[in-house]
Amino acid sequence: MIGETATDLELRLVTKSPSGSAFLDVLQHDLQERAPQCRLRHAATKRYHDRFWIADEERGLFVGTSLNGIGKRYCLVDYMAPHDASEISADIRAECLFP
């Protein structure tokens, strides 16, 4: 989906796992292969996990499973309230996860 629609995209991924995990390596490889115009930036923190997908610091989705769990079990996906997406974005900026 990203490869077909994105012309220039920076994907910022916040997980609790440090860089170098097998999942991140596979994700980076797949992005390079399918969407070389996309850049993947990763930061690790225990405060957030990859269940919040925020588009523009105001719109977002809450996904009820981790990225590596999609397709393996049922999960919930719902829109986030704009103030929740903004609050999480502000907190991530305050933590300086992506300087």
Side-chain angles (χ1 to χ4, degrees), residues 41 96-99:
R41 294 181 65 197
C96 298
L97 294 177
F98 297 103

Side-chain angles (χ1 to χ4, degrees), residues 9-93:
L9 177 70
E10 179 177 274
L11 178 62
R12 295 179 182 184
L13 183 63
V14 178
T15 66
K16 64 181 179 180
S17 302
S19 296
S21 73
F23 173 74
L24 289 172
D25 293 341
V26 169
L27 180 60
Q28 179 67 47
H29 177 267
D30 287 349
L31 274 175
Q32 283 299 116
E33 191 172 278
R34 295 183 179 132
Q37 74 279 14
C38 295
R39 295 171 310 283
L40 176 64
R41 294 181 65 197
H42 174 257
T45 182
K46 294 185 188 277
R47 289 179 52 95
Y48 293 101
H49 194 40
D50 54 8
R51 296 177 189 206
F52 301 106
W53 298 17
I54 300 174
D56 57 7
E57 298 189 5
E58 295 177 2
R59 294 178 302 141
L61 297 173
F62 173 79
V63 181
T65 189
S66 297
L67 281 173
N68 60 357
I70 293 176
K72 295 179 183 175
R73 59 186 78 93
Y74 292 108
C75 74
L76 168 75
V77 177
D78 197 4
Y79 289 103
M80 293 175 64
H83 67 273
D84 290 335
S86 295
E87 185 177 311
I88 291 169
S89 296
D91 192 50
I92 288 172
R93 275 193 314 278

